Amino acid sequence: MVRWLCSLVLALSAVACSTAPPAPALSPQVLLHDESFTKPAQRIDARDVFALDDAMRNHLRDSAKGSLFIQNPAEWLVQSLYRRGDLKLEYDTALTRNAAQAFDARAGNCLSLVVMTAALAKELGLHVEYNSADSEETWSRSGALLLRSGHINVTIGRRFIDRPRGQGARSWTVDFLPAGELQGLRLRTLDEATVLAMFMNNRAAEALARDATDEAYWWAREGVLADPGYMGVVNTLGVIYQRSGHARAAEKVYRELLRRQPDQTQALHNLAMLLEQQGRRDEAAPLRTRLAALEPEPPYHWFALGQQALQRGDARTARDLFAREVARADYSSEFHYWLAVANYQIGDTSVAQRHLERAQALSTSRNERDLYAAKLAWLSQHRH
């Protein structure tokens, strides 16, 4: 959690819900530079990710009286995640929460909700497996960062003592996407160490989005130690070095990534940008050529051109460019919002309202939903 056209944008792999491409393990000590970063006041420890608090334990204890819980705790847990009046979780990408935080908020992104579900399941002695879903990658922005997201879910199996004789062990895959979006997805099992690295990677990227570079380093460091073979967190470590002025360390990370994955587009983009910033354009040129061949129209390409058209007062061209971005990334609330803006500027308020409603429906955080609701209310008052 990049690949894009602006020199201010860095490529990160995997925020919110992450995928984990296989890669040979790296030596963490080769990559880490603790001496260059101030330790944060808050505790950053992989052991906290799945830790239960008293509220979670009390929830399990108080629920143990129900007949379904006694007969089949796995099925009870799955039902409690969706049942109104019970946990009834809300999807929210504002922050990657650990298990206790997600339980307290009753909300989280898919990684947070998977972590919380797994923590509860393990407390009940249930079998837990993590799955990476081979779905189409999605992109989002946070300030000067472009973020790539994938998807993860969790499978819960019965305890051995609960499995009926003569029958296979039944399991339940818990996913927080709508059922229609799950059809045809291929799942790949992940180690818990990789899930921990994903979590740390997300928190590092969220810290970077707040310009908290020192904090971001320690999150990424914990992720690299959890699973040095997870390339997403290694790339994020390179971004942290690059943004904090440690160019040599960043270059070393990117070149190691490309040695292992020569067509890794985020590392290609980031290394090319790093070399260009140092005036080493001759070295960057072949990287740009390879990147253009791998990715001729990178994420946010048409969106960026649309923004430029708006800035020069050409709303019709902006509308057409935003529409091209929406056509290939209909999931983005941001693209629909700016398509609404362009349509409003050319006087097509009915189309503007439709895309603004779509932006609100696609919002992945409470703050974003509230923002688009306010804009819709304003548009309803002024559309005539």
Side-chain angles (χ1 to χ4, degrees):
M1 293 164 239
V2 204
R3 26 183 187 174
W4 197 36
L5 44 86
C6 175
S7 62
L8 296 178
V9 177
L10 291 172
L12 298 183
S13 47
V15 161
C17 310
S18 310
T19 57
L26 299 170
S27 171
Q29 303 309 319
V30 173
L31 301 175
L32 299 177
H33 294 279
D34 295 0
E35 71 282 357
S36 299
F37 298 90
T38 303
K39 287 191 175 181
Q42 67 174 303
R43 172 186 166 100
I44 296 177
D45 193 323
R47 291 172 295 182
D48 296 337
V49 174
F50 291 98
L52 274 71
D53 61 8
D54 290 341
M56 299 174 76
R57 293 189 179 90
N58 290 340
H59 174 75
L60 295 177
R61 183 197 62 210
D62 295 341
S63 301
K65 303 172 185 177
S67 59
L68 179 59
F69 181 95
I70 296 172
Q71 295 172 6
N72 191 336
E75 185 175 357
W76 167 85
L77 177 58
V78 172
Q79 290 190 12
S80 73
L81 298 173
Y82 301 98
R83 187 168 47 231
R84 189 174 300 278
D86 208 323
L87 293 180
K88 193 59 180 177
L89 303 170
E90 178 182 355
Y91 190 78
D92 181 15
T93 63
L95 173 69
T96 302
R97 300 176 171 94
N98 63 29
Q101 291 167 337
F103 184 88
D104 180 63
R106 299 297 196 270
N109 59 32
C110 65
L111 182 54
S112 300
L113 299 179
V114 161
V115 163
M116 186 206 73
T117 302
L120 291 170
K122 289 194 292 183
E123 183 72 7
L124 295 173
L126 302 174
H127 177 70
V128 174
E129 286 186 359
Y130 308 96
N131 312 298
S132 171
D134 292 333
S135 58
E136 183 179 355
E137 66 183 18
T138 62
W139 292 86
S140 60
R141 290 194 311 171
S142 181
L145 298 174
L146 192 58
L147 311 172
R148 184 185 72 172
S149 301
H151 186 64
I152 183 174
N153 61 29
V154 61
T155 299
I156 301 171
R158 291 182 176 183
R159 298 177 300 180
F160 182 78
I161 61 173
D162 295 325
R163 297 173 183 175
R165 293 183 179 179
Q167 299 181 22
R170 185 178 177 186
S171 61
W172 291 260
T173 295
V174 180
D175 202 298
F176 299 94
L177 284 178
E181 297 184 27
L182 299 177
Q183 296 180 358
L185 288 185
R186 292 177 299 174
L187 301 180
R188 178 165 46 84
T189 303
L190 299 174
D191 293 335
E192 188 166 281
T194 303
V195 176
L196 285 170
M198 290 178 172
F199 182 94
M200 300 301 170
N201 186 45
N202 280 18
R203 293 301 294 266
E206 290 160 3
L208 272 179
R210 304 192 311 269
D211 292 323
T213 310
D214 285 306
E215 178 189 333
Y217 171 79
W218 293 99
W219 283 113
R221 177 187 186 276
E222 198 74 5
V224 170
L225 292 174
D227 183 2
Y230 175 49
M231 295 294 95
V233 73
V234 176
N235 183 68
T236 299
L237 184 66
V239 173
I240 292 167
Y241 288 146
Q242 188 168 351
R243 294 193 73 178
S244 58
H246 302 291
R248 183 176 299 178
E251 181 175 348
K252 184 174 183 179
V253 169
Y254 297 146
R255 291 196 182 280
E256 178 64 18
L257 278 170
L258 291 172
R259 186 181 70 82
R260 296 172 183 274
Q261 297 181 355
D263 292 336
Q264 221 268 15
T265 53
Q266 295 108 328
L268 279 170
H269 170 87
N270 290 341
L271 178 57
M273 184 169 62
L274 179 66
L275 295 174
E276 289 163 353
Q277 290 171 343
Q278 297 175 326
R280 299 159 65 185
R281 297 190 175 276
D282 289 345
E283 296 179 61
L287 300 176
R288 290 292 184 192
T289 299
R290 191 163 71 191
L291 186 61
L294 292 169
E295 196 174 56
E297 295 176 359
Y300 280 75
H301 174 73
W302 304 114
F303 177 82
L305 295 177
Q307 293 269 286
Q308 293 169 15
L310 274 185
Q311 290 172 5
R312 61 177 185 266
D314 187 355
R316 290 186 181 278
T317 297
R319 176 198 60 185
D320 295 341
L321 290 165
F322 291 145
R324 293 187 71 170
E325 201 69 84
V326 164
R328 70 170 178 174
D330 184 64
Y331 57 80
S332 172
S333 60
E334 183 179 24
F335 295 162
H336 281 280
Y337 168 72
W338 284 102
L339 185 52
V341 169
N343 277 286
Y344 178 79
Q345 290 191 11
I346 63 176
D348 201 339
T349 54
S350 61
V351 176
Q353 180 169 345
R354 186 167 71 247
H355 283 287
L356 196 51
E357 289 170 348
R358 180 68 172 153
Q360 184 187 28
L362 291 168
S363 300
T364 57
S365 70
R366 296 167 183 170
N367 290 341
E368 194 178 55
R369 284 190 288 272
D370 291 344
L371 174 64
Y372 290 137
K375 292 182 181 297
L376 271 170
W378 183 92
L379 181 60
S380 297
Q381 292 177 358
H382 294 83
R383 62 178 299 181
H384 300 297

